[in-house]
Amino acid sequence: MTQRQALSQSTGGTARGPALALDAGLLCILLVATPMTGSLTLLGETLRSALLFLRELSDWMTKKKLLAGSLAHYEFGVEKLAQAWTLAIALAMIIAGLWIAGLALDLIVTGESQTTSGGLALAAVTLALVTLRSGLQMLPFAQPKPRAFRFASLLVMQSMITLAALADDPSIALLADSFGAAFVALLMTAAGARLFSTAAVDLVDHPLNRKSEAYIAELLLEAGVEEEELLDLRTRRSGRDIFVELTINPSRAGSFEEARQRMGQLRRALAEQRDDLDVAIRLRAPGADSG
Amino acid sequence: MPGPTRDQKSKEAAVLYTSLADLAVVTILFFFAVFTSSLTLLSEAIRVALMLLVEFYGLFVLRALHRDRLRRFRFGIGKVEQMCNLAIGAALLFSGFWVAHSVVAALLSVQAASTPLGLAAAAVISAVNLLINLLGWLAMAAAARDGDSAIYRAQLRARAVKLAASAIVQIAITIAALAKDPVVATLFDGIGAAFVAGVMVTIGFKMVAECLPDLLDHPLPGETKKEIEAALLSAGIAGEELLRLRTRCSGSLPQVELTLAPAGCASVTDYCRRVTAVENHLKDHLGGADVSVVVDARKPAET
């Protein structure tokens, strides 16, 4: 499989385009409806949906651009670019989460809501569309955990906003809307913090953890590299890519060509095990290191 | 594990004491915010607290750097330093927009200037803040040396911005407090805040723009690549022997990965001797860059 084919598969081929278009349409409905409803829960969900959509869109566009070759000048891949974008989205999520939490607190303290029963009903219907879309995405069962979690969280918000819309007492409606908003604020802040920590670690050339490095050492052993041959192992993460630099003592090989061929086999053996490895091999005689 | 030098300790102390002084200001702000139930004061306290978080993060990384606790970052700590710069730059940007938003909100609400007593109190608090920033900047500038880490330079820069901003605010708020005409008072209050916002956004944007390319593994500029090729030529590597050149930057340290197929190396000993010489030559030429010459381990078809 060529790099281009692999990339095309990872972008989901052409299938991701319509799904993104559908999400964009739903986001437009949310953006139009939210100011009309005055519901804080819906405002929070609109912000969350917008940020998640931006993340999906940037991921898709980066891969499209990579496929078209316009990002080829990034010689070490574009994963850091994706991580920087994730970092920005994560920060926006944290800030938006804190802002919504502040508004929810203000609403509870002052008790001054700008929404009406009609507005809450509209909010419930709009949110139902988002929940329905998320539910349909769940239809091929055994979906990844994040998708199931999003659906479950939307159900909680849907119950809150429906309660607010159906409540006769305005104070109950206000409380239900505030709790829904506080819930979405909590989700956004937590998701933002989690994304932030992952992206920040990847951006700073963090090495792999001991377990992963031990796994690579094991792979090397399986590929026939003895422990005393491995002079140095440097690793770093860059999004989904793992960069590994091996310094190997080639004393077992007689000629350079023999050593080169052996390193070629080693590289292929590692690539067969993990396709996200970018392996660079240095050959050095012990004690003749540079610097 | 080696401990920090005297010079490094004085830098840490300068950053720590100014951060603690800032912490005292934040505590007072929070106290007054709760005491007066002022949401504006509370939001200002949150903004300063966010900036303070970044300051403490910078201090934490600086201490780790001085105590050699970042040795496990085998590709250097340039990116960690740049991440600190990014955090400080982003915090300045965020604060700048926050202040600008407050100015616009105040103008739109057509509120009269604060009461004379309020402005007088603000002038006193602002003077305390100016004094803290001045003392902090003096302490940090005195501890600064050539070749300081990027984190320390960024902290010093941020402190200089804060000092300049607080000096302008002090002038504007003093005029506003002394002015008898409420329109003049409002005008100077607004001018001071707008100037601070402008400075913060400009410097913040500059800091973010400077460190982003490094964090993204952007390749080195074309002229540096030409320098590398020239250095390779002077080290005796012909153009056709260089199969691939990948570059990126980690802070001030360029990282260069060369895939070479050196001609005339029959034995591995010859190969090792030659590539070690090339690596050393390039390192000397590029001011201690991280240079790796890797073996061409691809299949003939791939090459």
Side-chain angles (χ1 to χ4, degrees):
Chain A
M1 189 189 292
T2 66
Q3 198 183 2
R4 232 160 223 253
Q5 283 168 329
L7 205 62
S8 176
Q9 268 189 12
S10 71
T11 54
T14 50
R16 238 172 122 188
L20 276 172
L22 190 64
D23 283 342
L26 208 54
L27 186 60
C28 286
I29 295 173
L30 278 173
L31 287 171
V32 171
T34 303
M36 290 158 68
T37 65
S39 159
L40 208 52
T41 306
L42 196 65
L43 175 65
E45 181 47 36
T46 304
L47 285 175
R48 185 164 83 127
S49 295
L51 290 169
L52 290 174
F53 174 74
L54 272 180
R55 191 172 173 228
E56 285 274 312
L57 186 71
S58 72
D59 198 30
W60 183 69
M61 278 173 67
T62 306
K63 279 170 182 162
K64 278 280 221 193
K65 278 187 175 180
L66 198 61
L67 211 57
S70 60
L71 292 174
H73 60 285
Y74 283 91
E75 293 150 348
F76 286 93
V78 291
E79 279 296 315
K80 295 246 173 177
L81 198 65
Q83 294 301 323
W85 188 240
T86 304
L87 193 79
I89 300 260
L91 266 177
M93 275 184 146
I94 294 171
I95 292 168
L98 292 176
W99 183 58
I100 293 289
L103 288 179
L105 187 70
D106 195 39
L107 193 62
I108 293 171
V109 171
T110 60
E112 288 171 9
S113 175
Q114 290 177 349
T115 189
T116 58
S117 53
L120 284 171
L122 179 62
V125 172
T126 314
L127 193 65
L129 285 176
V130 183
T131 313
L132 184 69
R133 158 86 176 124
S134 179
L136 287 176
Q137 280 181 320
M138 290 287 298
L139 268 187
F141 295 108
Q143 286 292 323
K145 231 174 162 184
R147 202 166 268 189
F149 182 74
R150 176 156 165 75
F151 182 58
S153 64
L154 276 167
L155 282 180
V156 173
M157 276 182 267
Q158 186 67 55
S159 338
M160 287 290 173
I161 203 94
T162 310
L163 177 68
L166 295 177
D168 289 330
D169 188 347
S171 60
I172 291 180
L174 184 143
L175 267 183
D177 193 26
S178 314
F179 281 129
F183 178 70
V184 72
L186 182 73
L187 286 180
M188 261 199 287
T189 314
R194 192 178 52 82
L195 279 178
F196 185 89
S197 62
T198 322
V201 162
D202 281 3
L203 278 172
V204 296
D205 278 353
H206 200 282
L208 297 181
N209 58 33
R210 282 181 207 285
K211 203 175 154 196
S212 304
E213 283 201 349
Y215 171 68
I216 292 193
E218 210 174 284
L219 286 182
L220 288 173
L221 209 65
E222 275 174 29
V225 176
E226 300 291 336
E227 214 173 300
E228 58 274 14
E229 280 184 290
L230 184 66
L231 299 178
D232 195 14
L233 169 66
R234 293 204 295 179
T235 60
R236 67 182 179 94
R237 272 175 44 186
S238 175
R240 279 174 284 235
D241 295 337
I242 296 171
F243 287 85
V244 177
E245 188 190 275
L246 307 165
T247 304
I248 288 178
N249 169 18
S251 53
R252 268 169 60 183
S255 68
F256 171 59
E257 188 48 36
E258 200 181 314
R260 200 186 74 81
Q261 280 178 11
R262 194 171 156 235
M263 293 310 122
Q265 284 167 2
L266 170 64
R267 189 173 172 269
R268 283 189 289 279
L270 289 174
E272 273 168 24
Q273 297 290 330
R274 301 262 319 225
D275 59 359
D276 52 0
L277 284 183
D278 182 307
V279 184
I281 306 173
R282 298 167 77 215
L283 292 179
R284 292 296 174 276
D289 209 357
S290 58
Chain B
M1 195 176 286
T5 62
R6 209 185 145 103
D7 188 39
Q8 288 170 337
K9 274 185 181 170
S10 68
K11 281 189 180 68
E12 287 172 14
V15 177
L16 177 67
Y17 292 142
T18 45
S19 301
L20 287 177
D22 281 347
L23 183 65
V25 171
V26 172
T27 314
I28 293 168
L29 273 177
F30 269 113
F31 176 75
F32 276 106
V34 173
F35 189 67
T36 60
S37 303
S38 161
L39 278 178
T40 314
L41 213 54
L42 183 67
S43 68
E44 182 61 12
I46 292 171
R47 183 187 69 77
V48 181
L50 278 176
M51 282 290 286
L52 195 61
L53 268 182
V54 175
E55 267 178 47
F56 277 114
Y57 165 66
L59 178 65
F60 171 74
V61 178
L62 195 68
R63 279 175 63 86
L65 185 67
H66 290 162
R67 281 154 189 78
D68 204 17
R69 285 188 201 133
L70 300 175
R71 203 187 298 171
R72 66 209 168 103
F73 285 81
R74 297 295 314 281
F75 287 90
I77 49 129
K79 301 256 181 201
V80 180
E81 291 179 332
Q82 296 292 25
M83 187 55 102
C84 259
N85 285 1
L86 183 75
I88 292 173
L92 280 174
L93 256 179
F94 179 68
S95 289
F97 282 123
W98 190 308
V99 174
H101 169 261
S102 307
V103 173
V104 174
L107 287 176
L108 287 180
S109 65
V110 207
Q111 264 182 352
S114 308
T115 58
L117 185 65
L119 280 173
V124 172
I125 293 174
S126 174
V128 173
N129 193 34
L130 174 64
L131 186 69
I132 287 171
N133 281 333
L134 178 67
L135 291 176
W137 180 77
L138 283 174
M140 287 174 73
R145 302 280 180 277
D146 284 342
D148 277 339
S149 79
I151 300 171
Y152 190 74
R153 288 202 307 272
Q155 294 258 24
L156 185 60
R157 205 166 156 189
R159 184 58 58 181
V161 173
K162 280 185 195 169
L163 175 61
S166 54
I168 297 293
V169 165
Q170 184 62 51
I171 294 168
I173 217 158
T174 308
I175 295 173
L178 293 176
K180 294 207 168 74
D181 186 348
V183 177
V184 177
T186 311
L187 191 71
F188 273 93
D189 202 15
I191 288 174
F195 181 83
V196 170
V199 170
M200 280 180 165
V201 169
T202 311
I203 303 284
F205 182 77
K206 229 172 147 186
M207 286 176 85
V208 170
E210 274 171 18
C211 59
L212 258 187
D214 277 10
L215 283 171
L216 300 182
D217 274 353
H218 200 274
L220 294 176
E223 49 274 29
T224 315
K225 280 191 172 177
K226 277 183 188 149
E227 265 179 50
I228 294 170
E229 280 161 12
L232 280 174
L233 261 178
S234 64
I237 296 291
E240 61 273 15
E241 289 175 291
L242 174 65
L243 300 178
R244 188 160 74 149
L245 170 64
R246 292 203 294 182
T247 61
R248 63 192 190 106
C249 208
S250 181
S252 55
L253 195 75
Q255 305 217 333
V256 181
E257 186 193 285
L258 305 155
T259 306
L260 290 185
C265 290
S267 70
V268 281
T269 320
D270 288 345
Y271 170 83
C272 291
R273 200 179 299 129
R274 193 152 176 222
V275 294
T276 305
V278 171
E279 277 186 0
N280 287 336
H281 182 77
L282 273 180
K283 275 181 189 173
D284 290 344
H285 214 81
L286 297 171
D290 184 313
V291 182
S292 293
V293 177
V294 303
V295 68
D296 170 32
R298 289 173 293 174
K299 280 188 212 171
E302 283 180 89
T303 56

